[in-house]
Amino acid sequence: MDVIERWTGQYACLLQSALRLSNEQFAARLGIGVRTVAAWHADENVVPRGEMQQLLDTAHEQASDAARQRFALLLAKGRTSVESTPAGAQALRVAIAVVIRDSDVLLVCRRDDDAAGITWQFPAGVIKPGARAETITVRETLDETGVHCAVRRHLGNRVHPVTGVLCEYFLCEYLAGEATNSDAAENIDVMWVPRNSVTRFIPVDTIFPSILAVLEEQT
């Protein structure tokens, strides 16, 4: 079993993902405030205080075998991503937009050479060196879907459990535009999905916990 010598915001969020808990559920599990969990998502390098370290140790130790295995996998992917990045190079970062319009959320269906690999995702774009993640979030959403949006708040970041890519998540407000497939080379379809139906399109265990929390807040 992996032993964490010092918990950081990143490791705490990886544990939350492994436990498959929303911010509220994770906070309740630890007996702390939801704002503290949100702060970990906002800054992966933050180091929780001593008592928080002990609470995280306990949550890790009491987790099921399956959850500890998921945590070990997420931890290994995160470390591999960092270690495999050449000195002076920037690891691949992606900005992801969670665009809310009333009771709906904007999703895109990615094109894949293997039909079985077709997946629904939130609009996203690669953050090039020197670019602002917020700018990429808004621009890529418009380029992919024809939807104008505005960033409202940062939901946090993580190493994606499937792709191993560093992801920055942003809650966005719909401003204008019809949802259309503006990037047929990359996507098959674009559509608004009821927020309580998102898990029918995207496996719940791959959705960032902060997004699940936002969808619950919007209900």
Side-chain angles (χ1 to χ4, degrees), residues 31-212:
I32 62 177
V34 177
R35 289 186 177 181
T36 299
V37 176
W40 294 342
H41 284 284
D43 183 1
E44 65 176 13
N45 295 315
V46 67
V47 178
R49 298 191 305 273
E51 60 269 28
M52 297 291 183
Q53 296 281 333
Q54 295 176 4
L55 291 173
L56 288 164
D57 281 340
T58 300
H60 182 225
E61 293 166 1
Q62 295 179 348
S64 67
D65 290 340
R68 286 200 298 269
Q69 289 175 2
R70 285 193 295 271
F71 177 73
L73 178 61
L74 292 172
L75 190 63
K77 285 184 176 180
R79 288 171 173 169
T80 299
S81 176
V82 173
E83 292 170 358
S84 61
T85 302
Q90 174 178 297
L92 180 62
R93 295 170 60 222
V94 173
I96 298 177
V98 182
V99 185
I100 302 290
R101 185 189 68 176
D102 298 326
S103 62
D104 296 329
V105 181
L106 187 64
L107 296 183
V108 298
C109 187
R110 298 293 186 199
R111 186 179 297 280
D112 197 297
D113 293 334
D114 177 5
I118 293 174
T119 58
W120 286 92
Q121 303 173 19
F122 300 99
V126 174
I127 306 171
K128 295 181 179 179
R132 294 184 68 250
E134 292 86 348
T135 301
I136 297 298
T137 301
V138 172
R139 186 176 66 203
E140 289 298 321
T141 298
L142 177 60
D143 289 346
E144 284 190 331
T145 71
V147 168
H148 294 267
C149 68
V151 171
R152 287 298 170 245
R153 61 186 167 99
H154 184 231
L155 295 176
N157 51 58
R158 69 165 175 175
V159 175
H160 196 280
V162 176
T163 65
V165 172
L166 299 176
C167 299
E168 296 275 353
Y169 297 87
F170 296 91
L171 176 63
C172 300
E173 176 186 359
Y174 167 80
L175 297 179
E178 296 294 329
T180 58
N181 185 10
S182 303
D183 188 356
E186 293 289 337
N187 304 324
I188 293 175
D189 199 5
V190 173
M191 68 185 296
W192 290 101
V193 174
R195 58 178 178 266
N196 58 4
S197 299
V198 170
T199 54
R200 294 174 53 191
F201 294 82
I202 306 175
V204 66
D205 61 330
T206 66
I207 300 177
F208 191 42
S210 288
I211 295 178
L212 293 174

